[in-house]
Amino acid sequence: VADGVIATSELYRRTLASENGVIAPDTFQRVNAKKQEANIKFLINQANIRKSELKNNSVKEFIEMLKKINADREGLNIQNVEIQAYASPEGGVKFNDKLAGQRKDQSEKYVKKTLKQTKVDAALDAHYTAQDWEGFQKLVAASNLQDKDVILRVLSMYEDPQEREQQIRNMSAGFQELANGILPELRRSRLIINYETIGRSDEQIKEQYKNDASKLSADELLYSATLDETPAKQEEIYKKAVEAYPNDYRAYNNLAALALAKGDKEAAQQYAAKAAFTNVCFITIPLTDWTKKLFQVQKYFKNGINVPFIANRIGTFRNKNGIFIENFIIFVRKKNCMPQVNPLITTPEEQFVV
């Protein structure tokens, strides 16, 4: 599925240049970078990790992920554990530098202990930020504070941390809101596991297909079709995909594309119709000027020009007035559809009038 103006315009270029349909691509990647993050909060001017903080869900999930990595060395590969400790920006720079460093040290000590307990060997990358003005600015901007625009203006006007703090403290009412709602969120350490998920190799996918194709994911099945250039084998794989994943439009779409390549428009229409009524919206556009029509169509979808979709050129059709027109079927994911009537949309029955 293509996203964005550049990607979709290239898809249209390829579509217009070919009498065949456009293959809906898989999103299979054997190696995927992942993160698992835990957050530990500290009391003001303190660096000790409270037992209550180790019971929060993010820490529990952090530990659980390390256990999973230990249990599945082939499928999960840890890169490192990153520790980012912070102090909130109120208080002197010298004091906060020492405090943030202590929070970093305590967090690093905890992570080392946890790695040992879970039997995971990983490099540590630990560092700290003495005064987290960047985090402060983000939280203020996202808050409902009455004076947040004034506070943000102060941040932009003064570079010196002490001057910034003093100016904000001068707004006594506003500062109290900051002290209660914003600053406590900044006294924290972030513990981040950077790891990779390792999927099946090409040979493993082929072997699993032979043994039991239903145990492959939809993307693995679609990807396996790219490992064989024989249209007959690709058709077999796509048919297996629609059996295992009947609500995934991509296999139906790709069967339609293969049928078009063989010149079997009747089969292509049938597969296209199935794709249209699984988990996607279906529209057809008679085209005279594709660029203009494209932007008109986008108005009917929530995400504007960035709506992910694929287009298939079905061929030349005759409308009710006997005029021959170029028709395209566009498949759009349901979640991006607007529940209103599009004057450019023809009914499915009209689509297949030849």
Side-chain angles (χ1 to χ4, degrees):
V1 175
D3 275 313
V5 178
I6 295 176
T8 52
S9 63
E10 173 62 15
L11 184 59
Y12 298 141
R13 186 194 68 75
R14 288 172 23 223
T15 299
L16 289 166
S18 173
E19 289 297 327
N20 299 330
V22 177
I23 293 293
D26 63 87
T27 58
F28 175 76
Q29 284 186 292
R30 183 164 189 252
V31 180
N32 292 278
K34 301 283 186 178
K35 293 179 183 289
Q36 181 72 46
E37 180 172 334
N39 281 277
I40 294 175
K41 293 180 184 177
F42 298 91
L43 295 178
I44 186 170
N45 297 338
Q46 292 187 20
N48 61 297
I49 298 177
R50 293 168 290 163
K51 289 183 179 180
S52 59
E53 283 300 299
L54 300 181
K55 295 178 182 179
N56 76 54
N57 287 336
S58 70
V59 173
K60 289 179 181 178
E61 290 169 0
F62 178 89
I63 296 172
E64 190 61 32
M65 178 52 66
L66 290 176
K67 290 179 180 178
K68 288 180 181 179
I69 290 170
N70 178 51
D72 186 7
R73 299 297 177 98
E74 290 188 7
L76 298 170
N77 177 43
I78 191 166
Q79 301 289 91
N80 68 353
V81 178
E82 189 177 354
I83 299 166
Q84 299 177 3
Y86 303 85
S88 53
E90 85 280 18
V93 175
K94 185 177 180 180
F95 177 82
N96 279 344
D97 185 78
K98 181 180 178 180
L99 179 62
Q102 290 173 339
R103 288 173 176 172
K104 188 243 341 172
D105 293 341
Q106 290 299 311
S107 300
E108 189 172 4
K109 182 179 177 181
Y110 170 74
V111 170
K112 285 180 178 178
K113 178 182 176 182
T114 305
L115 287 171
K116 185 177 181 180
Q117 290 174 340
T118 55
K119 300 178 182 180
V120 174
D121 184 21
L124 296 184
D125 179 15
H127 42 91
Y128 68 88
T129 300
Q131 292 188 311
D132 189 14
W133 285 108
E134 182 179 347
F136 177 83
Q137 185 171 356
K138 287 180 180 178
L139 288 180
V140 169
S143 73
N144 294 319
L145 290 174
Q146 185 176 354
D147 297 325
K148 75 175 184 179
D149 291 337
V150 177
I151 295 170
L152 292 172
R153 195 155 51 245
V154 167
L155 292 180
S156 64
M157 290 172 59
Y158 299 96
E159 291 293 330
D160 181 67
Q162 292 182 326
E163 184 65 26
R164 280 179 172 179
E165 183 185 348
Q166 186 56 51
Q167 291 295 330
I168 292 172
R169 281 183 181 276
N170 290 341
M171 298 180 288
S172 56
F175 186 80
Q176 192 59 45
E177 289 184 83
L178 291 172
N180 294 332
I182 301 294
L183 297 177
E185 299 298 318
L186 301 173
R187 303 171 189 134
R188 71 203 192 282
S189 278
R190 298 170 60 206
L191 316 179
I192 305 167
I193 303 171
N194 294 303
Y195 68 101
E196 296 172 331
T197 57
I198 313 297
R200 290 183 174 97
S201 66
D202 290 359
E203 290 306 315
Q204 288 173 327
I205 288 175
K206 289 179 180 179
E207 187 63 26
Q208 184 60 62
Y209 180 83
K210 291 178 183 178
N211 295 332
D212 186 355
S214 67
K215 291 185 178 180
L216 292 171
S217 69
D219 279 304
E220 285 174 328
L221 274 169
L222 294 175
Y223 172 72
S224 70
T226 69
L227 302 177
D228 196 312
E229 296 182 359
T230 309
K233 184 63 176 179
Q234 291 175 342
E235 183 176 353
E236 174 195 306
I237 294 171
Y238 291 139
K239 286 181 177 179
K240 288 281 188 182
V242 299
E243 288 177 14
Y245 302 96
N247 290 324
D248 191 323
Y249 77 93
R250 293 174 297 173
Y252 289 115
N253 172 86
N254 296 352
L255 285 167
L258 290 177
L260 281 174
K262 293 190 297 184
D264 189 346
K265 289 187 177 181
E266 182 178 353
Q269 292 168 2
Q270 292 173 357
Y271 283 126
K274 288 179 180 179
F277 295 105
T278 53
N279 64 338
V280 292
C281 296
F282 172 91
I283 65 176
T284 348
I285 312 171
L287 299 182
T288 52
D289 183 333
W290 172 254
T291 304
K292 290 180 181 178
K293 295 292 184 183
L294 168 62
F295 285 93
Q296 289 175 17
V297 169
Q298 295 305 312
K299 293 178 183 178
Y300 292 90
F301 301 101
K302 290 180 179 179
N303 292 340
I305 198 64
N306 289 318
V307 171
F309 60 89
I310 63 169
N312 273 352
R313 185 181 186 185
I314 296 302
T316 303
F317 289 82
R318 184 172 60 244
N319 65 15
K320 291 181 177 179
N321 297 321
I323 300 173
F324 284 93
I325 54 176
E326 288 293 319
N327 270 15
F328 282 72
I329 291 180
I330 296 183
F331 303 102
V332 187
R333 293 182 182 181
K334 263 187 179 177
K335 64 181 180 181
N336 293 320
C337 296
M338 296 289 281
Q340 64 187 83
V341 176
N342 184 334
L344 295 176
I345 297 177
T346 59
T347 66
E349 291 75 18
E350 289 176 326
Q351 161 63 25
F352 300 126
V353 173
V354 178

